[in-house]
Amino acid sequence: MGQLRAGIVPVTPFQQNCTVLFDEATKEGVVVDPGGDVEVILQTLSENGLSIKEIWLTHGHLDHAGGAMELKDALDVQIVGPHEADRQMLSNIERQSEQFGLPGAMKNCTPDRFLTEGEKVSFGEHEFEVLHCPGHAPGHVVFYNRAAKFAHVGDVLFNGSIGRTDLPGGDHDTLIKSIKEKLLPLGDDIGFICGHGPGSRIGDERRNNPFLV
């Protein structure tokens, strides 16, 4: 088994961090949160010789899931996640896209499998624990790789900030509870990629994030 690697492809006007997690040796991996610009994602996969096993979704907002069905069709793989609480949100992506002035750019999404707290997902020998972390979105999940001391936290926690809670299904108190009860206990040395902008480490956010201190 090779080392776990991650590459980020910023997509759509939302500049969402579509993330490719892959094994350095086998080049097998998954795409996390393909929000759109699927042709750019496909080009990146091809240029790097990557073989994609599945598509993983952290939550159902259009900027994270809007390109999932198109990518699924292109790669002939399954969509896994998020938690079922985001089912309605995923079926509403096309309408949301029109409201944001992006008609036809994104498609409603029907995952092949929803995830629940405590499940595990994997590719090759890289195993990730599923943490249900609502607050930004009711069905938001985080993917945590204990061996690599790494997590993909989507829009739950950011470098110096936290996810928005003013969108439908958002709740500030629930989000803070998710961060304090699910993410902070993972340990200060856990590095993470988030849905937008640069990543960070849990310890840095525990000490310096103005929403947590």
Side-chain angles (χ1 to χ4, degrees):
M1 179 179 70
Q3 285 191 310
L4 175 65
R5 296 296 187 189
I8 293 175
V9 185
V11 295
T12 78
F14 299 103
Q15 287 297 282
Q16 191 275 127
N17 289 336
C18 172
T19 304
V20 185
L21 302 175
F22 63 97
D23 182 279
E24 185 178 45
T26 67
K27 301 294 185 180
E28 180 185 58
V30 297
V31 176
V32 182
D33 288 356
D37 294 338
V38 171
E39 69 284 353
V40 177
I41 300 171
L42 290 171
Q43 181 179 352
T44 300
L45 298 176
S46 176
E47 289 175 351
N48 290 278
L50 300 177
S51 174
I52 298 304
K53 175 187 175 186
E54 290 177 331
I55 296 166
W56 295 354
L57 298 181
T58 63
H59 64 293
H61 286 154
L62 78 165
D63 57 326
H64 290 255
M69 293 298 281
E70 183 181 347
L71 188 63
K72 168 188 168 75
D73 291 343
L75 297 176
D76 191 25
V77 296
Q78 292 196 338
I79 299 171
V80 178
H83 186 280
E84 192 169 8
D86 274 4
R87 180 191 291 271
Q88 183 175 356
M89 191 180 296
L90 289 163
S91 67
N92 219 14
I93 288 175
E94 292 172 15
R95 188 173 68 83
Q96 292 176 33
S97 182
E98 290 179 2
Q99 291 174 343
F100 278 98
L102 300 168
M106 301 174 180
K107 295 183 179 180
N108 293 341
C109 179
T110 304
D112 295 279
R113 179 164 67 92
F114 287 104
L115 294 169
T116 59
E117 173 79 20
E119 277 193 75
K120 294 181 180 179
V121 291
S122 64
F123 60 90
E125 296 182 31
H126 301 287
E127 185 176 77
F128 292 75
E129 299 171 36
V130 175
L131 309 175
H132 181 210
C133 296
H136 174 69
H140 201 304
V141 296
V142 163
F143 300 106
Y144 168 49
N145 187 299
R146 188 176 297 270
K149 296 185 177 181
F150 165 79
H152 193 302
V153 302
D155 284 0
V156 175
L157 181 64
F158 294 112
N159 186 326
S161 188
I162 60 173
R164 292 177 59 174
T165 55
D166 59 338
L167 301 170
D171 183 86
H172 179 81
D173 290 343
T174 300
L175 180 63
I176 295 297
K177 181 178 180 181
S178 289
I179 294 170
K180 291 188 173 181
E181 294 185 0
K182 300 286 183 70
L183 298 188
L184 297 188
L186 297 180
D188 286 357
D189 57 344
I190 302 300
F192 66 81
I193 287 176
C194 44
H196 304 265
S200 182
R201 291 190 179 277
I202 295 293
D204 292 337
E205 300 312 307
R206 184 201 305 274
R207 290 185 292 268
N208 304 315
N209 192 307
F211 293 92
L212 303 177
V213 297

